[in-house]
Amino acid sequence: MIEIHNLQKSFGKTNVLKKIDLHIENGDIYGIVGKSGAGKSTLLRCMNGLETYDSGNLMIDGFELKNHSDKDVRKLRKNIGMIFQHFSLLQRKTVYQNIALPMECWGYKKEEIDQRVKELADIVEIKDHIHKKPRTLSGGQQQRVAIARALSLRPKILLCDEATSALDPKTTKSILSLLREINENLGITVVIVTHQMSVVRQICTKVCILEKGVVANKGNVEDIFLHQPQSLMNLLGEENDEVLPATGKNIRMIFSDPDVVKNRCIISTMARDLNVDFSIVWGKLEKYRDDVLGSIVINTAHKNEELITRFLTEADIKWETINN
């Protein structure tokens, strides 16, 4: 769907994107996360042709953006919907007119426009507001209008640039649920630029972490959050969140959703079967899409390390030792 290889982009002497390599497959909900200035929005704007790039390759369905004219790129944009942080609605036009605008620009027939607008208004649950002006709507309702407008030309890809940053947590959750429904029911690939890890947890299937224009980590959301690479900890600001004992041996047990159910008694079972002493010193379980992921850290004497790790391996529990 979207193939990016060795992509580089500079503004003047500032190198914003450095050798970016990404593969976004059809049907993904792909999160691009990073701190401010990491290059997230620039990368997204390169995807829809709003920004050029200096070198490398960026192909959408085999279409290499830099090898085509502005006219060809404009045609490509029919297949790419865009949602912005601050909605970018025309306040003088009604909800109906805002949704209809892209189709009017492309010369669609009036009857086709009317049918599509009403269909989209129903999908995003704003059909009771189509004759109102955007300023009379809540932030969540305005973002639903923006989503409907982005879907008007039946795109294959939906790009979201901090689409929930201006919304409260409850509204954010409802908008993300809507995007997931659109992905699943309409088969649209969704790419989300965000600095909110709650967005990644709720909706994304894959994630890329950008640090100063470089891909620090990428992969399935479950793998990234389970293994907690340093780039993730930097982003979360939790480098010192685990206050662990300086003595003894710290062992982290890693759980995914099936493990939580299957091994709900693993701590008590291990203590009883092995007859060893250990302390639970840190733990966290969180929901990611439909799964529960997390880890628990125990501390024990060095002499117990081999006994405990062998037990965990035989119980099919993922584990790792942590340096004090």
Side-chain angles (χ1 to χ4, degrees):
M1 173 62 74
I2 302 176
E3 292 280 354
I4 302 174
H5 177 65
N6 203 28
L7 190 78
Q8 302 202 64
K9 168 70 178 177
S10 298
F11 292 110
K13 295 182 179 180
T14 304
N15 197 354
V16 179
L17 299 175
K18 309 168 188 176
K19 298 183 178 180
I20 302 293
D21 285 287
L22 287 181
H23 174 65
I24 301 175
E25 297 180 351
N26 186 35
D28 279 345
I29 302 182
Y30 203 105
I32 300 174
V33 298
K35 296 181 179 180
S36 296
K40 308 183 301 295
S41 293
T42 299
L43 178 57
L44 201 72
R45 289 170 65 85
C46 286
M47 290 183 192
N48 67 3
L50 292 176
E51 289 284 356
T52 58
Y53 44 96
D54 303 328
S55 61
N57 302 100
L58 198 163
M59 292 184 289
I60 298 177
D61 278 345
F63 182 100
E64 172 64 70
L65 270 69
K66 69 180 180 182
N67 293 339
H68 292 82
S69 66
D70 291 342
K71 183 179 179 180
D72 290 336
V73 172
R74 182 171 179 266
K75 290 180 180 179
L76 172 71
R77 289 200 194 110
K78 284 189 70 175
N79 291 322
I80 303 174
M82 188 82 182
I83 307 171
F84 302 93
Q85 178 179 355
H86 296 294
F87 323 136
S88 298
L89 301 175
L90 299 177
Q91 297 298 322
R92 294 185 178 182
K93 292 184 177 291
T94 65
V95 167
Y96 184 104
Q97 291 168 330
N98 269 278
I99 299 173
L101 186 59
M103 292 181 283
E104 291 174 347
C105 292
W106 281 93
Y108 282 64
K109 294 180 181 179
K110 185 176 180 180
E111 295 78 10
E112 188 175 0
I113 291 174
D114 184 68
Q115 180 180 351
R116 183 63 173 162
V117 169
K118 292 176 180 177
E119 175 188 345
L120 290 170
D122 188 47
I123 289 174
V124 303
E125 299 179 353
I126 54 166
K127 61 183 179 180
D128 295 334
H129 305 288
I130 60 174
H131 298 301
K132 296 179 181 179
K133 297 291 180 63
R135 63 176 176 272
T136 67
L137 305 181
S138 68
Q141 289 169 333
Q142 290 189 58
Q143 192 60 289
R144 288 174 180 270
V145 176
I147 291 171
R149 181 186 58 190
L151 296 175
S152 62
L153 298 177
R154 303 181 188 275
K156 296 179 180 179
I157 302 168
L158 194 58
L159 304 181
C160 309
D161 192 1
E162 299 283 8
T164 59
S165 295
L167 305 175
D168 63 79
K170 184 177 180 180
T171 305
T172 292
K173 188 174 182 179
S174 69
I175 291 297
L176 293 177
S177 295
L178 173 61
L179 290 174
R180 184 172 176 180
E181 290 174 10
I182 288 169
N183 167 261
E184 294 175 350
N185 297 334
L186 303 181
I188 295 175
T189 301
V190 180
V191 181
I192 299 179
V193 157
T194 183
H195 65 275
Q196 299 172 296
M197 298 312 298
S198 59
V199 172
V200 177
R201 292 187 184 103
Q202 183 175 337
I203 192 174
C204 294
T205 56
K206 296 177 183 176
V207 65
C208 159
I209 301 175
L210 287 184
E211 284 188 345
K212 298 180 180 180
V214 175
V215 176
N217 268 285
K218 60 184 176 181
N220 294 327
V221 168
E222 178 178 336
D223 295 335
I224 295 293
F225 279 94
L226 281 178
H227 294 101
Q228 300 182 8
Q230 188 59 48
S231 59
L232 176 65
M233 305 312 292
N234 293 342
L235 186 59
L236 293 173
E238 294 179 353
E239 297 92 333
N240 299 315
D241 193 36
E242 297 180 7
V243 181
L244 304 179
T247 59
K249 196 67 180 182
N250 296 311
I251 303 170
R252 185 201 306 275
M253 293 177 284
I254 303 169
F255 298 94
S256 59
D257 192 56
D259 298 327
V260 174
V261 176
K262 182 177 67 175
N263 300 296
R264 64 178 64 183
C265 301
I266 189 67
I267 297 294
S268 59
T269 301
M270 183 167 61
R272 182 175 60 250
D273 291 359
L274 299 183
N275 194 28
V276 296
D277 294 325
F278 56 82
S279 301
I280 300 174
V281 295
W282 188 90
K284 180 186 287 186
L285 293 174
E286 293 183 295
K287 188 172 180 62
Y288 297 86
R289 282 174 63 92
D290 300 322
D291 295 331
V292 176
L293 309 177
S295 61
I296 295 174
V297 180
I298 62 172
N299 178 268
T300 189
H302 284 277
K303 65 180 182 180
N304 298 327
E305 178 185 356
E306 184 178 353
L307 191 64
I308 290 175
T309 55
R310 188 189 311 124
F311 177 91
L312 294 175
T313 299
E314 291 174 355
D316 200 25
I317 299 292
K318 298 175 184 176
W319 59 271
E320 62 182 1
T321 56
I322 307 173
N323 295 326
N324 295 357

